[in-house]
């Protein structure tokens, strides 16, 4: 059920618990929602191979840029051109740093004798890869070695802690927003899941959990932490946002159904929603993504740009 707390002894030995900057390798893998970190692995097995693939000299990249919208081409081409031959390595190196940061967080909080977690989920409990998705924290009690009483404090979740380091991007994807029970909203789980209707008048940017995520992300950027250098904090050290790296990578995956950006992007501040190929027009800290199947839901709340 959505908005419920799942709890239990989910984790494998601590040393092998962190798969990357936003995924715990548990008995069941858990993907931290609300954040996204640079990739360390991809479908072509070795991320560094993308140095030669995501390049203006690669015919598939040339074809993609030729066939995409002029505005998206103008946005992507300088990124690729200025870092030609280094994009895979760049993504991989900062992905490793994000993984190290997450591992450090987990090791500080968890112990081999206290490995129980609590997971707060939303409408979708698992993602397309079968991973559990939600906000994760350790459960603990005052008694040494016992870990099954404390409820999740969202502000102390692994998700928020990673945003604080500056090694994670804010990445909000509808409907996995997690609405707190204290919020006075009338939401039909069935209709929302189907993307057919939603009675939700609260501006997304005003929802407590989203507000916390945005505030934490903006603070990490302005402080010049992690991926965001102090002098040009709006421009991250990683060349491509993780989701950009993934959608360009799909160009080389013959099994991928989509070869470019495939989610609508709402600007939670302006109240407009942009087609997938115009996501970059929305500031990173204002973005809320919608899969195409939820387009009707997006258009009930946001005006099409």
């Amino acid at each position: 059920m959505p908005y419920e707390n799942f709890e239990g002894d989910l984790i494998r030995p601590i040393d092998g618990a962190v798969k990357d900057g936003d995924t715990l390798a548990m008995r069941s893998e858990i993907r931290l929602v609300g954040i996204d970190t640079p990739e360390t692995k991809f479908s072509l097995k070795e991320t560094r191979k993308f140095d030669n693939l995501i390049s203006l000299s690669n015919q598939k990249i040339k074809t993609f840029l030729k066939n995409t919208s002029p505005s998206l081409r103008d946005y992507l081409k300088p990124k690729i051109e200025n870092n030609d031959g280094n994009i895979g390595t760049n993504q991989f190196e900062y992905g490793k740093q994000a993984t190290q940061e997450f591992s450090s967080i987990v090791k500080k909080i968890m112990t081999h004798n206290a490995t129980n977690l609590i997971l707060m989920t939303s409408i979708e409990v698992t993602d397309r890869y079968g991973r559990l998705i939600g906000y994760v924290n350790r459960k603990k009690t005052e008694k040494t070695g016992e870990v099954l009483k404390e409820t999740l404090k969202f502000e102390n979740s692994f998700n928020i802690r990673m945003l604080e380091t500056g090694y994670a991007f804010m990445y909000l994807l509808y409907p996995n927003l997690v609405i707190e029970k204290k919020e006075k909203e009338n939401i039909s789980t069935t209709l929302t899941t189907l993307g057919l209707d939603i009675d939700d008048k609260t501006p997304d940017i005003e929802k407590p959990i989203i507000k916390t995520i945005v505030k934490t992300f903006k603070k990490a950027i302005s402080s010049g932490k992690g991926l965001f250098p102090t002098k040009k904090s709006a421009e991250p050290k990683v060349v491509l946002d993780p989701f950009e790296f993934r959608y360009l990578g799909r160009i080389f995956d013959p099994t991928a159904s989509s070869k470019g950006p495939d989610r609508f992007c709402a600007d939670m501040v302006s109240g407009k929603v942009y087609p997938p190929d115009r996501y970059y027009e929305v500031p990173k800290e204002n973005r809320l993504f919608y899969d195409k199947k939820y387009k009707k839901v997006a258009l009930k709340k946001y005006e099409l740009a």
Side-chain angles (χ1 to χ4, degrees), residues 5 8 23 27 47 51 53 61 76 88 96 110 163 172 176 187 222 225 244 259 274 282 284 301:
N5 294 332
T23 308
R27 293 177 182 174
T47 308
D51 284 342
L53 294 179
I61 290 292
L76 287 173
K96 283 200 307 182
M110 309 294 289
L163 277 177
L172 297 174
N176 302 318
I187 294 183
S222 63
K225 290 185 176 181
E244 293 174 332
K259 304 296 184 181
Y274 291 75
V282 181
K284 296 180 191 296
K301 198 160 191 178

Side-chain angles (χ1 to χ4, degrees), residues 195-215:
L196 299 177
D197 194 14
I198 184 169
D199 181 15
D200 179 3
K201 305 301 182 183
T202 306
D204 289 314
I205 196 68
E206 292 299 324
K207 294 179 180 179
I209 286 179
I210 292 180
K211 185 182 292 187
T212 298
I213 291 173
V214 171
K215 180 180 178 180

Side-chain angles (χ1 to χ4, degrees), residues 1-133:
M1 295 294 292
Y3 319 130
E4 292 297 325
N5 294 332
F6 292 83
E7 58 188 61
D9 183 16
L10 300 174
I11 201 167
R12 63 180 61 178
I14 298 297
D15 291 340
V18 175
K19 183 176 180 181
D20 56 31
D22 51 37
T23 308
L24 284 168
M26 325 290 274
R27 293 177 182 174
S28 295
E29 286 189 4
I30 298 180
R31 171 64 162 83
L32 276 58
V33 298
I35 71 170
D36 200 14
T37 60
E39 297 292 334
T40 56
K41 295 181 181 179
F42 204 64
S43 59
L44 296 183
K45 295 183 180 180
E46 177 53 62
T47 308
R48 292 172 184 267
K49 290 182 179 178
F50 282 88
D51 284 342
N52 296 323
L53 294 179
I54 302 180
S55 166
L56 294 182
S57 62
N58 188 286
Q59 187 56 49
K60 288 189 176 181
I61 290 292
K62 286 182 180 179
T63 300
F64 172 77
L65 292 176
K66 179 181 178 180
N67 294 334
T68 194
S69 66
S71 59
L72 180 59
R73 179 170 61 247
D74 291 343
Y75 168 76
L76 287 173
K77 189 174 179 180
K79 282 176 167 281
I80 299 173
E81 187 173 32
N82 295 338
N83 298 276
D84 226 339
N86 187 52
I87 289 179
T89 296
N90 171 270
Q91 186 81 193
F92 180 75
E93 291 300 327
Y94 286 111
K96 283 200 307 182
Q97 291 184 26
T99 302
Q100 291 167 359
E101 286 292 324
F102 189 23
S103 182
S104 177
I105 289 172
V106 171
K107 287 180 179 179
K108 287 179 182 178
I109 298 174
M110 309 294 289
T111 71
H112 290 288
N113 294 322
T115 57
N116 290 72
L117 299 175
I118 183 168
L119 171 67
M120 184 167 65
T121 78
S122 185
I123 297 293
E124 297 177 345
V125 179
T126 59
D127 65 9
R128 67 182 72 176
Y129 305 108
R131 299 177 297 188
L132 292 168
I133 52 178

